[in-house]
């Protein structure tokens, strides 16, 4: 019972925190503050993964998302000098369309979630050594394995790295000649 | 107090509604933000809600296998790739146009 109570207490605390920081991401005037709020949302999500017993995934989330992507976005903000660019108020027309689309999406999905009957399996206990299972699955050639997506992801990351350098490098050759 | 708290322990619906809420906040941001980097931030929010959904279904429906967690790992890698490409494109646009305001980037508008 103690466990359950602490579990639900942590869940509701993290849920409230993540929703508040998510609203800060979309609503704050200064874009740098929005990026920091995004880091808050991502850390809350890592907390959710710990709550659901996915400790490895929580570690990856903090390392890659908070340590990598947020830093990258902060670099993008600095390089495009959006720091000084204070977001002027969006027109109420845009705001209404955004709020309408978001609330419709939320209503439709949550009603679908509430009306459907999920085959929840709470009795089976998760194995502790699931990182081992993860590694085996990632390099498994069989029908249940994920070796092909794993290789494709590595190619994708390589091509993204090269493409990023090419797109964002200094002036192209043709402009230098002028 | 303890009885109340253990009585409202979150089931699958609570988790799914939480992730739907995060996703719809992301939709609002994508539609309302003017700065392109802000749009990218909101898209990251939506991606994160999707990853959370994979993890929730893995935990509640198939607790004995790790496929949902693997999908979440792949999605994190794809999100990193997306952020890199987005940043490169915004830097290139900024060099040409001196702005990243998405309402003023309307060259392709007929």
């Amino acid at each position: 019972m103690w466990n359950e109570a602490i579990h639900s207490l942590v869940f509701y605390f993290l849920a409230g925190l993540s929703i508040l920081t998510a609203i800060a991401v979309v609503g704050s005037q200064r874009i740098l503050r929005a990026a920091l709020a995004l880091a808050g949302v991502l850390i809350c999500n890592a907390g959710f993964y710990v709550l659901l017993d996915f400790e490895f995934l929580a570690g990856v989330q903090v390392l890659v998302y908070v340590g990598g992507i947020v830093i990258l976005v902060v670099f993008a903000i600095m390089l495009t000098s959006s720091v000084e660019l204070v977001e002027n108020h969006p027109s109420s027309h845009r705001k209404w369309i955004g709020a309408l689309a978001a609330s419709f999406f939320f209503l439709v999905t949550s009603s679908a979630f509430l009306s459907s009957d999920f085959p929840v399996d709470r009795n089976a206990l998760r194995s502790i050594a699931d990182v081992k299972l993860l590694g085996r699955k990632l390099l498994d050639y069989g029908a249940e394995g994920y070796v092909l997506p794993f290789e494709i992801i590595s190619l994708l990351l390589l091509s993204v790295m090269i493409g990023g350098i090419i797109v964002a490098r200094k002036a192209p050759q043709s402009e230098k000649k002028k | 107090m303890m009885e109340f708290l253990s009585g409202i322990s979150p089931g699958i619906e609570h988790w799914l509604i939480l992730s739907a809420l995060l996703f719809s906040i992301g939709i609002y941001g994508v539609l309302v933000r003017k700065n392109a980097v802000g749009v990218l931030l909101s898209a990251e929010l939506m991606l994160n809600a999707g990853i959370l959904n994979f993890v929730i279904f893995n935990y509640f429906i198939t607790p004995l296998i790790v496929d949902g967690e693997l999908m979440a790992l792949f999605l994190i890698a794809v999100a990193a790739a997306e952020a890199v490409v987005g940043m490169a494109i915004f830097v290139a646009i900024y060099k040409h146009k001196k702005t990243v305001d998405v309402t003023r980037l309307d060259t392709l508008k007929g």
Side-chain angles (χ1 to χ4, degrees):
Chain A
M1 191 168 106
W2 262 98
N3 263 340
E4 292 242 307
I6 289 173
H7 191 271
S8 50
L9 196 67
V10 172
F11 171 75
Y12 288 109
F13 174 71
L14 280 181
L17 199 65
S18 71
I19 287 166
L20 283 182
T21 42
I23 289 172
V25 170
V26 298
S28 89
Q29 299 284 311
R30 292 184 178 276
I31 198 78
L32 205 57
R33 276 183 203 161
L36 290 182
L38 182 75
V41 178
L42 299 175
I43 289 173
C44 285
N45 268 34
F48 290 141
Y49 301 153
V50 172
L51 212 56
L52 292 174
D53 296 332
F54 291 97
E55 286 88 4
F56 178 69
L57 192 60
V60 172
Q61 168 95 355
V62 171
L63 279 177
V64 178
Y65 246 118
V66 183
I69 296 181
V70 171
I71 299 298
L72 210 65
V73 168
V74 169
F75 266 112
I77 293 168
M78 305 282 187
L79 287 175
T80 57
S81 70
S82 309
V83 181
E84 298 96 51
L85 197 149
V86 174
E87 187 125 346
N88 41 358
H89 288 284
S91 60
S92 59
H93 167 71
R94 272 164 77 90
K95 254 187 180 165
W96 273 111
I97 289 181
L100 212 65
S103 51
F104 265 119
F105 176 82
F106 179 66
L107 282 179
V108 169
T109 44
S110 55
S111 61
F113 286 150
L114 288 178
S115 64
S116 51
D117 201 14
F118 296 106
V120 175
D121 183 9
R122 292 298 294 277
N123 300 322
L125 281 172
R126 288 173 49 74
S127 58
I128 305 299
D130 85 341
V131 176
K132 209 184 252 176
L133 199 62
L134 213 65
R136 279 189 200 290
K137 204 129 199 179
L138 214 51
L139 291 176
D140 185 5
Y141 283 96
E144 301 262 296
Y146 285 90
V147 71
L148 190 62
F150 182 66
E151 296 293 333
I152 291 174
I153 284 286
S154 68
L155 272 181
L156 174 78
L157 287 176
L158 180 67
S159 56
V160 156
M161 196 169 73
I162 297 170
I165 292 169
I166 287 177
V167 172
R169 71 181 169 178
K170 277 187 177 173
Q173 215 66 11
S174 56
E175 276 181 35
K176 264 183 195 164
K177 278 179 192 159
K178 279 185 222 170
Chain B
M1 182 68 183
M2 298 310 288
E3 284 84 14
F4 172 70
L5 277 176
S6 55
I8 56 167
S9 76
I12 185 167
E13 288 88 5
H14 299 80
W15 284 98
L16 289 175
I17 284 176
L18 171 71
S19 81
L21 201 57
L22 286 177
F23 196 93
S24 30
I25 293 172
I27 291 179
Y28 175 79
V30 166
L31 291 177
V32 169
R33 277 277 185 204
K34 275 186 176 172
N35 192 327
V37 184
V39 176
L40 183 72
L41 286 177
S42 309
E44 293 288 347
L45 207 58
M46 289 161 72
L47 257 170
N48 220 65
I51 295 173
L52 188 58
N53 246 13
F54 271 104
V55 174
I56 291 165
F57 281 119
N58 192 169
Y59 177 77
F60 280 100
I61 293 180
T62 59
L64 289 181
I65 55 175
V66 292
D67 289 51
E69 190 178 0
L70 264 174
M71 279 300 154
L73 287 175
F74 285 136
L75 276 177
I76 289 176
V78 172
E82 176 241 340
V84 172
V85 173
M87 175 192 151
I89 291 175
F90 295 153
V91 170
I93 288 176
Y94 182 73
K95 273 182 199 154
H96 280 274
K97 297 256 184 183
K98 297 290 164 214
T99 179
V100 284
D101 186 344
V102 290
T103 55
R104 283 161 62 196
L105 299 174
D106 50 4
T107 316
L108 279 178
K109 206 170 181 178

